[in-house]
């Protein structure tokens, strides 16, 4: 099990403790509220991932070994979901990111938020993470 | 077998509005375990059984291409399609059936007028007058034609209630204004514009007026002749018909003078490589095989609305809107956006500092469907200094219980975010 798979598994287990949707959302909102904000200059047009209903800003840094992501949204639930994405993908090796399918989306019943056809910026963020990772891989 | 062409029967006419909810099969379902409360009709409305059946019957028994065939099915399809045009003509009180052009929707109707009516005669220094509350569909087509011709877009402001002062609009009607293009009802704010006064003033100055009626037709009686409006655009799917079909009403004199918008089949009489003779109205503007089933659905929806009575629908919705506004206003931490005295069917709002997208998500979990975001009216959001709103919108099938469910769901939302 690589680091991304491990982080994903932990998140899935953590969410299995909630047996109703309200608790799940309260937890997400809590995660969202505790998510460190980006600086005003980082909340820029360049870093913005466009969505029709909520906005997401993301910064990616590659230290040669690992990809680090920071991101925030103007909506609390979306920020909570970002916190989950960051836990799974930030600080991980590009090869692990690329090799690991995003199983948590269906396991956490997050299709509503994370399916590629949703215009809330989150799905676009997930795609951006995957793109950064594959770009960071050595060209074959 | 003219299923869709049935005249509304008397017994339907007598039905209380409250009973019509049962006509809409989509409403009888649960979402996330809760009975669906649909408060997003301003984005797209649901179809009653008679519309669904008219489309299905046509597909099942009568489908063929229109205006072409010698065979029975083609005749039936043509009769149904043209009878839908008659239903729409009657629905908006147009004087002639030739003034009813089927389009893909309000957006295409406005683009058609911008490109075919305005573009050929517009030049540098000419002006197009719109208001600050327009939907993007009544902004962008004009921006495009301004770009093409050097004309200028002039914006009439709104006040803090979300209403346009007709005097301010009329003052801007100088001799450089070539068209006034305004909403009948604002999609984000619900404000009803005082059309009669505006159109009268424009005509006194020989300025034609286009009205974006997308948010008006399902809610209030529209009579294009009484309004004396030059162009009236609306969409099927906001008035209980399918998507992808809409109407441009235009005075015949304008349509006669306008060149075709698109070329292709059905809009021609004769095609030679030396030149083409265009078909008569309205076919000159209906290039290619049209959305026949959509038109039939729209005709059925127009008959359905007429059978329920637009005055009765408006009265029902006004009562509901007053109740909705009163219940919302009583919530601690609510901010109502769009508080004009004359309104139809929608109420935008913000709740505490909760992002509208979060409100919409939590409401959906309780089976309550609303719209959140900028409602394709970003200038309106800029005016109020907000990124978007939550918007509840009503239609004839809504009732007080829907509003009670919304209010309860909002209380739960506040609880979760507390």
């Amino acid at each position: 099990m690589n680091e991304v798979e491990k982080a994903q598994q932990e998140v899935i287990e953590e969410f299995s403790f909630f047996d109703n949707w309200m608790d799940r959302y309260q937890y997400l909102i809590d995660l969202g509220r505790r998510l460190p904000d980006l600086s005003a200059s980082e909340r820029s047009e360049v870093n913005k991932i466009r969505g029709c209903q909520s906005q997401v800003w993301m910064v990616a840094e590659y230290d040669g070994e690992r990809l680090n992501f920071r991101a925030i949204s103007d909506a609390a639930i979306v920020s909570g979901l970002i916190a989950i994405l960051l836990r799974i993908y930030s600080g991980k090796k590009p090869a692990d990111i690329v090799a690991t399918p995003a199983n948590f989306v269906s396991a956490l019943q997050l299709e509503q938020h994370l399916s590629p056809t949703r215009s809330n910026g989150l799905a676009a963020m997930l795609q951006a993470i995957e793109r950064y990772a594959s770009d960071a891989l050595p060209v074959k | 077998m003219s299923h869709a062409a049935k005249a509304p029967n008397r017994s339907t006419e007598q039905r209380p509005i409250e009973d019509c909810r049962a006509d809409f099969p989509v409403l009888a379902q649960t979402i996330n375990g809760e009975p669906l409360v649909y408060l997003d009709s301003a984005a797209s409305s649901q179809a009653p059984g008679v519309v669904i059946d008219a489309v299905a019957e046509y597909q099942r028994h009568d489908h063929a291409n229109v205006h072409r065939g010698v065979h029975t099915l083609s005749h039936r399809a043509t009769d149904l399609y043209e009878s839908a045009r008659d239903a729409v003509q009657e629905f908006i009180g147009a004087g002639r059936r030739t003034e009813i052009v089927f389009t893909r929707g309000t957006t295409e109707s406005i683009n058609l007028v911008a490109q075919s009516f305005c573009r050929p005669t517009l030049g540098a220094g000419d002006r197009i007058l719109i208001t600050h509350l327009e939907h993007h569909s009544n902004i962008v087509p004009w921006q495009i034609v301004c770009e093409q011709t050097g004309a200028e877009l002039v914006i009439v402001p709104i006040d803090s209630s979300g209403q346009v002062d007709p005097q301010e609009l009329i003052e801007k009607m100088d001799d450089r204004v070539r068209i006034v293009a305004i909403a009948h009802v604002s999609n984000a704010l619900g404000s009803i514009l005082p059309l009669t006064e505006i159109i009268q003033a424009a005509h006194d100055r020989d300025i034609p007026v286009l009205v974006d009626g997308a948010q008006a037709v399902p809610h209030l009686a529209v009579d294009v002749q009484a309004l004396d409006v030059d162009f009236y655009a609306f969409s099927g799917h906001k008035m209980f018909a399918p998507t992808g079909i809409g109407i441009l009403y235009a005075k015949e004199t304008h349509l006669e003078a306008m060149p075709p918008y698109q070329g292709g089949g059905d809009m021609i009489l004769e095609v030679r490589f030396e030149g083409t003779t265009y078909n008569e109205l309205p076919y000159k503007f209906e290039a290619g095989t049209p959305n026949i089933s959509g038109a039939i659905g729209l005709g059925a929806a127009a008959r359905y609305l007429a059978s329920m009575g637009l005055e009765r629908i408006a009265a029902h919705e006004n009562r509901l809107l007053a109740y909705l506004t009163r219940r919302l206003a009583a919530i601690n931490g609510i901010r109502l956006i769009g508080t004009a005295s004359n309104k139809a069917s929608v109420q935008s709002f913000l709740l505490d500092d909760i992002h509208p997208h979060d409100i919409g998500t939590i409401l959906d979990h309780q089976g309550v469907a609303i719209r959140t975001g900028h409602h394709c009216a970003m200038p309106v959001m800029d005016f109020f200094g907000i990124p978007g709103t939550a918007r509840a919108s009503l239609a004839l099938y809504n009732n007080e219980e829907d509003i009670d469910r919304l209010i309860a769901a909002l209380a739960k939302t506040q609880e979760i975010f507390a």
Side-chain angles (χ1 to χ4, degrees):
Chain A
M1 194 181 275
N2 70 43
E3 288 175 18
V4 175
E5 284 172 312
K6 195 158 165 280
Q8 182 165 255
Q9 202 50 47
E10 280 169 14
V11 169
I12 293 171
E13 275 164 29
E14 202 171 296
F15 268 78
S16 68
F17 294 125
F18 299 115
D19 48 12
N20 73 62
W21 68 269
M22 271 189 74
D23 292 346
R24 240 160 32 126
Y25 274 100
Q26 242 151 6
Y27 183 60
L28 275 177
I29 290 160
D30 197 36
L31 287 177
R33 283 173 171 166
R34 281 188 287 144
L35 189 66
D37 204 346
L38 298 184
S39 67
S41 64
E42 286 172 325
R43 280 189 177 226
S44 64
E45 282 302 309
V46 183
N47 291 334
K48 196 172 188 175
I49 297 175
R50 260 172 223 289
C52 184
Q53 303 195 18
S54 62
Q55 297 172 323
V56 174
W57 295 266
M58 183 171 88
V59 179
E61 287 139 352
Y62 184 47
D63 64 10
E65 188 194 358
R66 288 165 189 275
L67 267 168
N68 292 298
F69 301 102
R70 288 178 298 119
I72 193 85
S73 168
D74 53 353
I77 295 171
V78 176
S79 285
L81 292 160
I82 287 173
I84 292 174
L85 287 183
L86 296 183
R87 248 179 81 183
I88 296 173
Y89 293 110
S90 187
K92 305 297 192 299
K93 294 172 187 156
D96 291 347
I97 295 174
V98 170
T100 312
N103 292 332
F104 70 99
V105 175
S106 57
L108 267 51
Q109 296 173 305
L110 293 176
E111 293 93 340
Q112 187 200 346
H113 305 285
L114 285 164
S115 76
T117 53
R118 299 297 156 147
S119 54
N120 60 13
L122 256 187
M125 177 177 161
L126 188 53
Q127 282 163 0
I129 288 173
E130 284 161 359
R131 202 171 51 246
Y132 275 115
S134 57
D135 287 352
L137 288 177
V139 182
K140 280 172 200 152
Chain B
M1 214 159 64
S2 190
H3 308 278
K6 274 183 218 146
N9 63 47
R10 300 292 308 173
S11 64
T12 312
E13 220 162 317
Q14 303 308 320
R15 291 171 59 212
I17 298 281
E18 289 72 19
D19 288 359
C20 81
R21 187 184 182 93
D23 298 341
F24 294 80
V26 80
L27 298 176
Q29 64 178 301
T30 57
I31 302 285
N32 295 313
E34 303 281 352
L36 168 63
V37 171
Y38 192 74
L39 295 171
D40 195 21
S41 297
S44 201
S45 58
Q46 302 298 343
V50 286
V51 168
I52 298 167
D53 291 348
V55 173
E57 287 294 299
Y58 160 74
Q59 297 287 11
R60 201 165 267 131
H61 302 293
D62 307 320
H63 170 69
N65 213 328
V66 290
H67 306 139
R68 286 164 175 82
V70 66
H71 56 77
T72 304
L73 289 188
S74 179
H75 288 313
R76 272 196 219 150
T78 303
D79 287 350
L80 287 165
Y81 181 69
E82 291 304 329
S83 128
R85 196 187 309 275
D86 295 336
V88 172
Q89 180 200 344
E90 195 174 331
F91 181 65
I92 59 168
R96 299 176 178 85
R97 67 191 313 282
T98 49
E99 296 175 323
I100 305 296
V101 179
F102 284 118
T103 64
R104 283 191 294 135
T106 310
T107 300
E108 186 177 48
S109 298
I110 297 174
N111 277 281
L112 197 168
V113 174
Q115 290 299 314
S116 182
F117 180 75
C118 293
R119 189 179 179 185
T121 58
L122 276 181
D126 286 342
R127 289 177 163 175
I128 293 168
L129 210 55
I130 66 170
T131 80
H132 203 115
L133 57 65
E134 302 306 321
H135 186 283
H136 296 165
S137 294
N138 200 27
I139 301 174
V140 184
W142 307 115
Q143 288 177 325
I144 290 172
V145 79
C146 284
E147 187 104 326
Q148 289 162 335
T149 61
E152 181 196 349
L153 197 58
V154 178
I155 318 296
V156 180
I158 49 177
D159 64 24
S160 59
S161 78
Q163 187 52 285
V164 175
D165 176 358
Q167 277 316 314
E168 223 167 331
L169 202 160
I170 291 163
E171 276 162 27
K172 288 203 157 62
M173 293 180 188
D174 59 31
D175 57 8
R176 288 177 293 176
V177 174
R178 295 289 165 260
I179 193 166
V180 172
I182 50 174
H184 194 167
V185 175
S186 155
N187 73 309
L189 303 167
S191 331
I192 302 176
L193 273 70
L195 288 189
T196 308
E197 190 181 347
I198 294 167
I199 292 168
Q200 179 68 55
H203 287 174
D204 288 347
R205 295 158 180 80
D206 286 326
I207 303 169
V209 178
L210 174 140
V211 171
D212 166 1
Q215 296 294 340
V217 282
H219 306 298
L220 44 97
V222 172
D223 185 326
V224 291
Q225 287 191 89
L227 285 171
D228 196 26
V229 66
D230 298 273
F231 302 98
Y232 197 93
F234 58 99
S235 298
H237 75 102
K238 310 269 198 211
M239 53 171 281
F240 320 114
T243 52
I245 188 76
I247 296 293
L248 173 65
Y249 160 82
K251 286 182 177 171
E252 196 175 69
T253 47
H254 294 318
L255 288 178
E256 291 287 5
M258 287 158 62
Y261 175 52
Q262 293 177 326
D266 219 25
M267 52 78 73
I268 46 83
L269 278 182
E270 258 190 17
V271 178
R272 299 275 180 279
F273 286 118
E274 297 75 38
T276 289
T277 316
Y278 302 126
N279 203 342
E280 59 196 24
L281 295 177
Y283 310 109
K284 185 169 92 176
F285 296 101
E286 294 180 2
T289 296
N291 181 355
I292 306 166
S293 66
I296 290 166
L298 177 52
R303 289 188 188 93
Y304 177 79
L305 274 163
S307 78
M308 297 307 293
L310 264 302
E311 281 81 11
R312 291 200 312 151
I313 292 170
H316 169 77
E317 290 182 8
N318 287 342
R319 268 196 310 275
L320 278 185
L321 181 65
Y323 182 65
L324 170 67
T325 309
R326 184 158 58 78
R327 292 295 311 269
L328 283 174
I331 296 174
N332 223 344
I334 200 98
R335 178 180 168 198
L336 299 181
I337 308 287
T339 50
S341 53
N342 197 14
K343 279 182 58 180
S345 74
V346 317
Q347 184 60 60
S348 272
F349 60 91
L350 293 167
L351 187 61
D352 301 327
D353 58 349
I354 310 173
H355 193 284
H357 184 256
D358 289 332
I359 299 174
T361 303
I362 301 297
L363 291 190
D364 178 58
H365 258 272
Q366 300 170 84
V368 179
I370 61 156
R371 171 87 187 265
T372 67
H374 54 60
H375 315 296
C376 296
M378 289 172 86
V380 173
M381 301 303 129
D382 290 343
F383 174 82
F384 287 100
I386 53 180
T389 70
R391 180 190 69 184
S393 55
L394 304 164
L396 80 166
Y397 39 65
N398 290 116
N399 56 29
E400 289 198 356
E401 197 189 328
D402 290 334
I403 293 165
D404 294 340
R405 286 274 312 281
L406 168 71
I407 299 299
L410 286 172
K412 195 146 232 176
T413 306
Q414 283 185 307
E415 192 187 315
I416 292 173
F417 276 88

